[in-house]
Amino acid sequence: MAAAMSAGAEAPAGGWERGPGAVYHMFVVMEDLVEKLKLLRYEEELLRTSGLRPPSRHYFALPTNPGEQFYMFCALAAWLINKAGRPFDQPQEDDDPNATISSILSELRSLGRSVDFPPSKLKSGHGEHVCYVLDCLAEEALKHIGFTWKRPTYPVEELEEEAIMEDEAELTHNKVEEEIVEEETDTEENCIDLNVLKAQTYRMDLSESGKQEDILESTTDAAEWNLEVERVLPQLKVTIRTDNKDWRIHVDQMHQHKEAIESALKETKGYLDRLHNEITRTLEKIGSREKYINNQLESLVQEYRTVQTQLSEATELYQQRNGGVTERTRILSEITEELEKVKQEMEEKGSSMTDGAPLVKIKQGLTKLKQETVQMDIRIGVVGHTLLQLKLKEKSNMTRDMHVTTIQDPTLNSF
């Protein structure tokens, strides 16, 4: 069982011959994975703590809900990696799926498992690659905890015991009937023997002679005996019921199949021998014709090889020359750019030298400056006139004040 599981787990990575049953191989791997998860007690340690629902036996083999399946895959993978003895953070729903998948695959490679498929195969959350990854991680977790597979114990089927008991009961019943029949025959023989002894005793008493030996003869009728035997014969037969599970029936079937295979093999072997002979002759013809064609076309093949060598040399030379042309083209483009820059600078300098716009601007500036100077002179004259009037007004006020003071104080006048 362990060998079958390991072979099933390594099938997607190593690659197997894709036969008719390869489509259903992931269902087998998924069922084995569920059994391994039960051995690891994932229901108590993962599902109850994370609040997840237990997956069905074909959960990752069939597409149902890609988002839910991918999250379930990441959670199971992280838990199995931790069970395998390697620390791994539990993924969250908002994590980058590409980063999570790459981390899981790197852990799987570090455990010694081969991964020869692209990581995009795991984004859907279902398929043979998802089952393969989880199955490998489950096996590594079982190895880490020291779990080993034991030999299977097959229970004894109750039907076989009942059949044996019924057979024993029938045999016991038949034995009892045989004993009854034997007792009846013994009683009849005993009755016959007693009658004979009585007759002998009677004769011995009458004769008063010594012992007289008489011939013992049975008084039973042979016809009645045969009739009684025919009547009891069906009850004396032991009937064994046929059971399809009996090994004897299987052995008979094996012998029948063997005879059928041997009889069919004789006829098939003749056809196969003829087919083998025809194929051998055909291969010989093909080989001889191939040799003839090779001999006929040897000169052309040699010529073709020579031309091909020349072509490769010409191609190599062309690539070298083409590389030189490319380098010179690049240098030419750089020189052309520098030339364009120089031309542009010369045009700008020539246009600035022949242009009279700066002189016109200077003249306009001088004219504007003269006008502002005249305006300033006028404002200065106005301000000087205003200041002169204020001085004259103050002087007249001072003179008036002096006259007023002289009139009011006569002492000042006398003095």
Side-chain angles (χ1 to χ4, degrees):
M1 184 177 181
M5 287 183 180
S6 62
E10 292 175 0
W16 65 85
E17 294 182 0
R18 305 292 292 186
V23 181
Y24 305 99
H25 181 75
M26 58 182 173
F27 293 93
V28 180
V29 177
M30 182 62 203
E31 291 183 357
D32 292 342
L33 173 63
V34 173
E35 298 298 332
K36 293 175 185 177
L37 291 176
K38 289 180 180 178
L39 293 174
L40 293 168
R41 302 175 62 85
Y42 79 111
E43 295 179 352
E44 293 82 1
E45 297 182 8
L46 175 66
L47 299 182
R48 292 181 183 177
T49 57
S50 302
L52 300 174
R53 294 183 298 174
S56 62
R57 300 190 70 86
H58 300 151
Y59 182 75
F60 292 110
L62 297 173
T64 54
N65 187 354
E68 180 183 353
Q69 286 178 314
F70 179 74
Y71 178 70
M72 188 71 178
F73 161 71
C74 295
L76 273 175
W79 181 73
L80 289 172
I81 291 170
N82 289 320
K83 290 289 287 183
R86 303 182 68 86
F88 194 85
D89 296 334
Q90 192 70 18
Q92 303 296 327
E93 294 185 358
D94 55 351
D95 291 344
D96 186 12
N98 295 321
T100 305
I101 290 172
S102 63
S103 301
I104 293 172
L105 292 180
S106 63
E107 292 292 338
L108 188 62
R109 292 188 187 95
S110 64
L111 291 173
R113 298 285 182 163
S114 61
V115 180
D116 56 356
F117 55 86
S120 60
K121 295 288 186 180
L122 302 178
K123 280 189 177 181
S124 60
H126 68 275
E128 58 182 356
H129 300 90
V130 173
C131 297
Y132 164 71
V133 172
L134 292 177
D135 194 71
C136 292
L137 293 175
E139 285 187 357
E140 295 296 332
L142 289 174
K143 290 180 183 178
H144 182 72
I145 65 176
F147 179 81
T148 56
W149 297 99
K150 299 179 180 179
R151 287 183 173 274
T153 55
Y154 299 101
V156 180
E157 297 185 359
E158 298 179 356
L159 296 176
E160 293 182 358
E161 293 180 354
E162 293 177 358
I164 292 170
M165 293 175 65
E166 289 177 0
D167 293 338
E168 291 178 354
E170 289 179 0
L171 292 173
T172 305
H173 179 67
N174 293 330
K175 287 181 180 179
V176 171
E177 289 181 350
E178 289 176 0
E179 290 176 357
I180 292 171
V181 172
E182 289 176 358
E183 289 177 357
E184 290 177 355
T185 55
D186 292 336
T187 51
E188 290 177 358
E189 290 177 357
N190 291 330
C191 292
I192 294 168
D193 294 337
L194 289 174
N195 293 327
V196 173
L197 290 173
K198 287 179 180 179
Q200 289 179 356
T201 305
Y202 181 73
R203 292 192 196 98
M204 290 173 67
D205 292 337
L206 290 175
S207 61
E208 292 180 353
S209 58
K211 293 181 180 179
Q212 191 177 14
E213 295 179 0
D214 293 334
I215 300 172
L216 300 179
E217 294 181 0
S218 176
T219 59
T220 305
D221 188 4
E224 293 180 359
W225 179 266
N226 292 327
L227 289 174
E228 184 67 20
V229 171
E230 290 179 359
R231 184 181 66 80
V232 182
L233 184 62
Q235 298 178 2
L236 299 177
K237 293 181 179 180
V238 178
T239 58
I240 300 174
R241 294 183 302 175
T242 59
D243 189 5
N244 293 328
K245 295 183 179 180
D246 190 7
W247 63 271
R248 299 178 184 84
I249 296 174
H250 291 295
V251 171
D252 294 336
Q253 291 178 354
M254 288 170 63
H255 286 299
Q256 293 175 3
H257 291 317
K258 182 181 178 183
E259 293 175 356
I261 290 170
E262 289 177 352
S263 61
L265 181 61
K266 292 179 181 179
E267 184 179 358
T268 307
K269 189 175 181 182
Y271 292 127
L272 292 175
D273 291 337
R274 287 197 295 271
L275 182 61
H276 178 264
N277 295 329
E278 291 179 359
I279 291 173
T280 305
R281 289 195 298 270
T282 305
L283 289 175
E284 290 176 355
K285 290 180 181 178
I286 292 172
S288 61
R289 290 180 180 178
E290 185 178 359
K291 291 180 181 178
Y292 174 75
I293 291 172
N294 289 333
N295 293 328
Q296 293 292 327
L297 298 178
E298 185 175 2
S299 60
L300 295 176
V301 171
Q302 189 67 27
E303 184 179 356
Y304 171 74
R305 289 175 181 173
T306 305
V307 173
Q308 191 175 10
T309 305
Q310 294 176 358
L311 177 62
S312 62
E313 292 176 357
T315 304
E316 185 178 0
L317 182 61
Y318 169 74
Q319 290 177 355
Q320 294 177 357
R321 300 290 175 80
N322 192 17
V325 172
T326 305
E327 182 66 22
R328 288 177 174 79
T329 305
R330 184 181 63 80
I331 296 171
L332 178 62
S333 62
E334 292 178 357
I335 294 172
T336 304
E337 290 179 358
E338 292 180 359
L339 181 61
E340 292 293 333
K341 290 180 181 179
V342 171
K343 286 182 178 181
Q344 187 175 359
E345 291 177 358
M346 289 178 66
E347 289 178 357
E348 289 178 356
K349 290 181 179 180
S351 60
S352 61
M353 290 173 66
T354 56
D355 192 7
L359 295 175
V360 173
K361 290 181 180 179
I362 292 171
K363 290 180 179 180
Q364 291 177 355
L366 290 173
T367 305
K368 188 175 181 180
L369 185 60
K370 289 179 180 180
Q371 291 178 357
E372 290 178 355
T373 303
V374 172
Q375 290 179 359
M376 289 294 293
D377 292 337
I378 293 171
R379 289 179 182 178
I380 290 169
V382 171
V383 170
H385 178 71
T386 304
L387 183 61
L388 181 62
Q389 286 182 351
L390 289 173
K391 287 181 178 181
L392 292 174
K393 187 175 181 180
E394 287 179 358
K395 189 175 181 180
S396 62
N397 289 332
M398 290 175 65
T399 305
R400 187 174 60 251
D401 292 336
M402 289 175 66
H403 288 293
V404 171
T405 303
T406 303
I407 292 172
Q408 291 179 356
D409 192 359
T411 58
L412 296 173
N413 294 326
S414 63
F415 179 73

